[in-house]
Amino acid sequence: MKNCIIAQSGGPTVAINASLAGVIEECLDKNAYDHIYGSLHGITGILDDHIIDLGEKVKNDTLFIDHLKHTPAMYLGSCRYKLPSLDKDASVYEKIFDYFEEKEIVGFYYIGGNDSMDTVLQLSKYAKAHNKDISIMGVPKTIDNDLCHTDHTPGFGSAAKYIATVMKEIAYDTSIYPVPSVTIVEIMGRDAGWLTAASALAKTSYGLGPDFIYLPEVSFDKELFLEDVKEKIKTKRNILIAISEGIHDADGNYISASGTATDSFGHSQLSGAGKALEYFIADEMDVKVRSVEINLPQRCAAHLSSATDLCESAQLGRTSVRAALEGHTGEMSVIRRCSDAPYQVAYSTEAIEKIANEVKNVPRDFINEQGNDVTEKMLTYLRPLIQGEPAITYKDGMPEFASLSHLY
Amino acid sequence: MKNCIIAQSGGPTVAINASLAGVIEECLDKNAYDHIYGSLHGITGILDDHIIDLGEKVKNDTLFIDHLKHTPAMYLGSCRYKLPSLDKDASVYEKIFDYFEEKEIVGFYYIGGNDSMDTVLQLSKYAKAHNKDISIMGVPKTIDNDLCHTDHTPGFGSAAKYIATVMKEIAYDTSIYPVPSVTIVEIMGRDAGWLTAASALAKTSYGLGPDFIYLPEVSFDKELFLEDVKEKIKTKRNILIAISEGIHDADGNYISASGTATDSFGHSQLSGAGKALEYFIADEMDVKVRSVEINLPQRCAAHLSSATDLCESAQLGRTSVRAALEGHTGEMSVIRRCSDAPYQVAYSTEAIEKIANEVKNVPRDFINEQGNDVTEKMLTYLRPLIQGEPAITYKDGMPEFASLSHLY
């Protein structure tokens, strides 16, 4: 028997299940495996012997794949488990590969972001070192768009489309009162400003939309920020500002109203950059000011996903399977952009060593000189990624998603 | 010449422009007026002689009405202007009616919520007292659904659809990690819990969706709340809770982390009920806890509006015009529900005295006995209101709205 296991890890997006669908579809099209298993809650499902048979699921539920492609979060559940380094604790690795042998697994597909690709790196290293006959492949996923060696990442285009659309709607909402106002919208993005930059797509020809955009790639100066706002409000009544949650001063201190707890990967857990600036403006200016966090919907609003993003996410899943069947291992599928207009991409794979634990920030020339807006280069990069609205089915006025009952 | 003026006031919704479109369309269909004017920023546009010719706009832009019906916020701009009481200051009234005479206005349509209907009441009283030959009509609008003598209000169905959908997506997002968690979602609603109740539509057959729903109609007891959560988490890993911003204790004190500034109508400006409960749970329980404010999108997310809501909003605009042409004045158009299934409604008008400054709260039997969820009666009431997805046109991946350039 030749079987495979698919798992998902990291933070949710609206496209990661499209990648799962792509992996499953390619496995079935190529008739590559006897069993297509899904490990629940990432790598921990393998450690806890908690897997399901996805091939059976597809057989028994003809609409499953269609619904899966539009289902937010993770059908297989997630985890925040970081593998111990091999020299510190080999037993976890032995347990995982014993399980692979027991289940006759020759292909392992891990769909996730930066930290998940580290797991792919460690497992593929171990497999090579111990001559294990298994292909360990990564499929990218992150709304943050901060993975290297791929033009962009699955989930980003949909998050960008949601952020741009909601920013446009907020711009409409905040422009109707004849009193000066400042609205600060805080957008996800700890180290990379890609998501916040997407708010620039909301700009209209007559100046509605974000007036200033501040990304973590440029040090944030509160005094220059105050000058920007004071100058702008002389000519525009209602000012809209987009900021990344991760903006920080020149010394690297986050502009934040809250503490700095850290997750298991050592990332600071942020909140409140918007609040902090709201209080700052309220102290310094006589103007109506409010801050808004778009919050969880920017990573789970499947009802407004990008058809381009969902299609590419599925293709990246298929690409990893094709590469595995050709004998590749320790690689992640990537997107190469061939042209902006017409928008054309090509799919391939890259060695995981190049990708894991690396972060792709916004290039400086995608940000204007003053560091308070993005350039045309950024808009040219972003525009194709939000194109198209997927045909989501609604039932009783609500979008239909695949059931997560198996996670309960 | 016989002309009319239309104005909009109060907080934005995604349906108030559909009502504006309905008023305009009925005026044109009946060829009722020589000029259809729009007053910018509510009643203040009349005081400042700031009006536009909507009839001309329709003539010159054939797509205007179509785009208008899907455009969030207010095409004519809004205001928070409260008329002085007549005995205190008659000059404002004289100025308004002098302007009506000068512009040969025989019909005035005010689209707005509770406070706007007070303006309709005061103006119609004055008109009657001074034998002015003008029909003063209200068209309802409020996401809060708290206007009396109408089954529901324009804007509510769309806000309900957005809240229910986002709650479902957040339920998916928060259910993927195998660690106990509590997520508290704060929803708009100062005095009435209608919007928060709509989160109940997100419940799935297998128990995904809000586990508890707390409305301002029932006094909030922090200790009972803590008991609810502690008991539920014994059997469910990821708990989702919906609360109204206006929940308060038995003494009427808001559960809030913030101060109590008041707007020009004396309403407390709230925020932070969710934050307050997040800190409370974090102190009392050893679980991952977060709070989320859905915030502005619940009143401006035109991309996910309810087709039923937009259609009814336009019909209510038409109904007020028809009534005015039949000689009615000092009334507001209303919806009467004839049956739940099949969902059928009838349109009529009601005397504004009955409606202005009255608040329609959630009936007690729409809330369960413990006061921590809604009943089937509420779901039966809500379901028809979120049905249908309007055909919104997208351009370059973004929804197309009518331009607000004239407000700049």
Side-chain angles (χ1 to χ4, degrees):
Chain A
M1 299 258 281
K2 287 187 166 192
N3 307 321
C4 74
I5 293 185
I6 314 167
Q8 299 172 307
S9 176
T13 80
V14 304
I16 186 167
N17 287 326
S19 292
L20 173 59
V23 171
I24 296 170
E25 283 180 315
E26 188 69 18
C27 291
L28 292 172
D29 291 354
K30 294 284 196 298
N31 196 13
Y33 305 102
D34 298 297
H35 289 283
I36 304 166
Y37 296 115
S39 168
L40 300 188
H41 298 297
I43 195 76
T44 61
I46 290 165
L47 293 166
D48 307 338
D49 184 25
H50 203 176
I51 66 175
I52 59 176
D53 192 317
L54 291 165
E56 283 303 304
K57 176 71 183 170
V58 174
K59 244 183 258 162
N60 303 332
D61 179 354
T62 50
L63 282 174
F64 171 63
I65 291 286
D66 282 353
H67 285 155
L68 188 61
K69 285 178 177 173
H70 307 123
T71 299
M74 285 139 157
Y75 181 77
L76 297 174
S78 186
C79 69
R80 286 275 185 202
Y81 180 83
K82 188 172 173 65
L83 281 171
S85 66
L86 187 54
D87 51 351
K88 276 205 183 63
D89 179 4
S91 68
V92 175
Y93 293 82
E94 287 152 11
K95 190 173 179 188
I96 291 169
F97 281 89
D98 289 348
Y99 191 79
F100 284 159
E101 243 162 66
E102 177 200 331
K103 297 288 180 186
E104 302 178 83
I105 305 300
V106 296
F108 176 62
Y109 302 97
Y110 212 31
I111 312 171
N114 230 315
D115 302 318
S116 312
M117 291 311 128
D118 178 68
T119 300
V120 171
L121 174 60
Q122 302 311 325
L123 290 181
S124 56
K125 270 191 197 166
Y126 182 93
K128 281 173 193 164
H130 297 74
N131 303 311
K132 302 287 187 184
D133 179 21
I134 179 171
S135 179
I136 312 278
M137 297 295 289
V139 181
K141 175 279 324 175
T142 171
I143 62 168
D144 293 329
N145 197 40
D146 60 355
L147 288 179
C148 298
H149 301 285
T150 185
D151 180 74
H152 54 279
T153 59
F156 173 67
S158 294
K161 188 185 184 84
Y162 180 80
I163 288 165
T165 299
V166 165
M167 281 298 283
K168 185 176 179 179
E169 292 168 337
I170 289 176
Y172 270 68
D173 187 282
T174 55
S175 65
I176 61 169
Y177 290 108
V179 291
S181 69
V182 175
T183 303
I184 301 160
V185 180
E186 180 182 319
I187 296 166
M188 287 180 172
R190 187 184 292 107
D191 306 310
W194 297 106
L195 286 171
T196 305
S199 65
L201 295 167
K203 292 185 185 185
T204 68
S205 54
Y206 56 95
L208 205 67
D211 300 290
F212 299 110
I213 299 173
Y214 300 95
L215 312 184
E217 283 80 358
V218 176
S219 298
F220 186 83
D221 182 318
K222 278 171 88 170
E223 297 311 320
L224 288 179
F225 166 75
L226 186 60
E227 276 177 38
D228 286 341
V229 178
K230 282 184 170 174
E231 189 56 35
K232 188 72 180 178
I233 208 152
K234 289 177 186 169
T235 57
K236 195 180 179 199
R237 188 181 62 223
N238 308 104
I239 296 180
L240 185 59
I241 300 164
I243 60 164
S244 296
E245 62 178 341
I247 53 171
H248 51 75
D249 63 24
D251 304 326
N253 304 312
Y254 288 117
I255 310 300
S256 172
S258 78
T260 56
T262 60
D263 67 19
S264 63
F265 290 98
H267 305 144
S268 293
Q269 290 302 297
L270 298 180
S271 80
K275 262 291 168 239
L277 293 180
E278 176 190 336
Y279 297 150
F280 177 58
I281 291 290
D283 289 343
E284 299 286 339
M285 293 175 67
D286 178 26
V287 61
K288 183 183 174 211
V289 57
R290 80 189 305 162
S291 63
V292 175
E293 284 183 50
I294 299 184
N295 218 306
L296 292 183
Q298 64 199 296
R299 74 180 193 191
C300 66
H303 70 269
L304 189 65
S305 43
S306 155
T308 300
D309 181 31
L310 296 190
C311 169
E312 292 178 340
S313 301
Q315 286 305 317
L316 284 164
R318 284 176 173 273
T319 301
S320 288
V321 174
R322 277 197 293 272
L325 298 181
E326 291 162 7
H328 294 246
T329 184
E331 299 180 353
M332 184 189 84
S333 51
V334 297
I335 300 177
R336 186 166 51 80
R337 186 182 299 213
C338 308
S339 76
D340 293 317
Y343 176 64
Q344 288 179 321
V345 297
Y347 301 94
S348 58
T349 57
E350 276 286 351
I352 199 73
E353 292 86 347
K354 295 193 198 165
I355 295 159
N357 307 313
E358 297 292 321
V359 171
K360 183 179 74 180
N361 291 107
V362 174
R364 188 59 182 84
D365 65 345
F366 279 33
I367 306 170
N368 71 351
E369 199 180 336
Q370 306 91 302
N372 60 12
D373 202 349
V374 299
T375 61
E376 185 56 36
K377 275 191 180 178
M378 173 64 90
L379 292 169
T380 302
Y381 170 81
L382 291 172
R383 275 192 202 99
L385 308 184
I386 69 165
Q387 300 303 313
E389 296 71 51
I392 294 172
T393 56
Y394 279 72
K395 195 177 174 219
D396 298 331
M398 304 271 291
E400 280 192 293
F401 301 141
S403 163
L404 294 189
S405 55
H406 56 287
L407 294 179
Y408 276 74
Chain B
M1 297 259 279
K2 287 187 167 194
N3 306 322
C4 75
I5 292 185
I6 314 166
Q8 300 172 307
S9 176
T13 80
V14 303
I16 187 167
N17 287 326
S19 292
L20 173 59
V23 171
I24 296 170
E25 284 180 315
E26 189 68 18
C27 291
L28 293 171
D29 291 354
K30 293 284 194 300
N31 196 14
Y33 305 101
D34 298 296
H35 289 282
I36 304 166
Y37 295 116
S39 167
L40 299 188
H41 298 298
I43 195 76
T44 61
I46 290 166
L47 293 166
D48 307 339
D49 184 23
H50 204 176
I51 66 174
I52 59 177
D53 192 318
L54 291 166
E56 284 302 304
K57 176 72 183 168
V58 174
K59 245 184 255 161
N60 303 333
D61 179 354
T62 50
L63 283 173
F64 171 62
I65 290 287
D66 283 352
H67 285 155
L68 188 60
K69 285 179 177 172
H70 306 126
T71 299
M74 285 138 157
Y75 181 76
L76 296 174
S78 185
C79 69
R80 287 275 185 204
Y81 180 82
K82 188 174 172 63
L83 282 171
S85 67
L86 189 53
D87 51 350
K88 275 206 185 63
D89 180 4
S91 67
V92 175
Y93 293 82
E94 287 153 9
K95 190 172 180 189
I96 291 169
F97 281 89
D98 289 349
Y99 191 80
F100 284 159
E101 243 161 67
E102 178 200 332
K103 297 288 180 188
E104 301 178 82
I105 304 301
V106 296
F108 176 63
Y109 302 98
Y110 212 31
I111 312 171
N114 231 317
D115 302 318
S116 312
M117 291 311 127
D118 177 66
T119 300
V120 171
L121 174 61
Q122 302 312 325
L123 291 180
S124 56
K125 272 191 196 165
Y126 183 93
K128 282 173 191 163
H130 298 75
N131 302 312
K132 302 288 187 184
D133 179 21
I134 179 170
S135 179
I136 312 278
M137 297 295 288
V139 181
K141 176 278 323 174
T142 171
I143 62 168
D144 293 329
N145 196 41
D146 60 355
L147 288 179
C148 297
H149 301 285
T150 185
D151 180 75
H152 54 279
T153 58
F156 173 67
S158 294
K161 188 185 183 85
Y162 180 80
I163 287 165
T165 299
V166 165
M167 280 300 282
K168 185 176 179 180
E169 292 167 338
I170 289 176
Y172 270 69
D173 187 282
T174 55
S175 65
I176 62 169
Y177 290 108
V179 291
S181 68
V182 175
T183 304
I184 301 159
V185 180
E186 181 182 320
I187 296 166
M188 287 180 172
R190 187 184 292 107
D191 306 310
W194 296 107
L195 286 171
T196 306
S199 65
L201 294 167
K203 292 185 185 186
T204 68
S205 54
Y206 56 95
L208 205 68
D211 300 290
F212 299 109
I213 299 173
Y214 301 95
L215 311 184
E217 282 80 358
V218 176
S219 297
F220 186 82
D221 182 318
K222 277 171 87 170
E223 297 311 319
L224 288 180
F225 166 75
L226 185 60
E227 276 177 38
D228 286 342
V229 177
K230 282 184 170 174
E231 189 56 34
K232 189 72 180 179
I233 208 152
K234 291 177 186 170
T235 57
K236 194 180 179 199
R237 188 181 61 220
N238 309 104
I239 296 181
L240 185 59
I241 299 164
I243 60 164
S244 296
E245 62 178 340
I247 53 170
H248 51 76
D249 63 22
D251 304 326
N253 305 311
Y254 289 118
I255 311 299
S256 171
S258 79
T260 55
T262 60
D263 68 18
S264 64
F265 290 97
H267 306 144
S268 292
Q269 290 302 299
L270 296 180
S271 78
K275 260 298 166 230
L277 293 180
E278 176 191 335
Y279 297 150
F280 177 58
I281 291 290
D283 290 344
E284 298 286 340
M285 294 175 67
D286 179 27
V287 294
K288 182 180 178 217
V289 56
R290 80 190 304 161
S291 63
V292 176
E293 283 184 51
I294 299 184
N295 217 306
L296 293 183
Q298 64 199 295
R299 73 180 192 190
C300 65
H303 70 269
L304 189 65
S305 42
S306 156
T308 299
D309 181 32
L310 297 190
C311 169
E312 291 178 340
S313 301
Q315 286 305 316
L316 284 164
R318 284 175 172 274
T319 300
S320 288
V321 174
R322 276 196 294 271
L325 298 181
E326 291 163 5
H328 295 245
T329 185
E331 298 180 352
M332 184 190 85
S333 51
V334 297
I335 299 177
R336 186 167 51 79
R337 186 182 300 213
C338 307
S339 76
D340 293 316
Y343 175 65
Q344 288 179 320
V345 298
Y347 301 94
S348 58
T349 57
E350 277 286 350
I352 201 72
E353 292 86 347
K354 295 193 199 165
I355 294 159
N357 307 311
E358 296 293 320
V359 171
K360 182 180 75 181
N361 291 107
V362 174
R364 189 59 182 84
D365 65 344
F366 279 34
I367 306 170
N368 71 350
E369 199 181 336
Q370 307 90 301
N372 60 14
D373 202 350
V374 299
T375 60
E376 185 56 35
K377 275 191 179 178
M378 173 64 90
L379 292 169
T380 303
Y381 170 81
L382 291 172
R383 276 192 202 99
L385 309 184
I386 68 164
Q387 300 303 312
E389 296 70 51
I392 294 172
T393 55
Y394 279 72
K395 193 175 175 223
D396 298 331
M398 304 271 290
E400 279 193 294
F401 302 140
S403 163
L404 294 189
S405 55
H406 57 286
L407 293 180
Y408 276 73

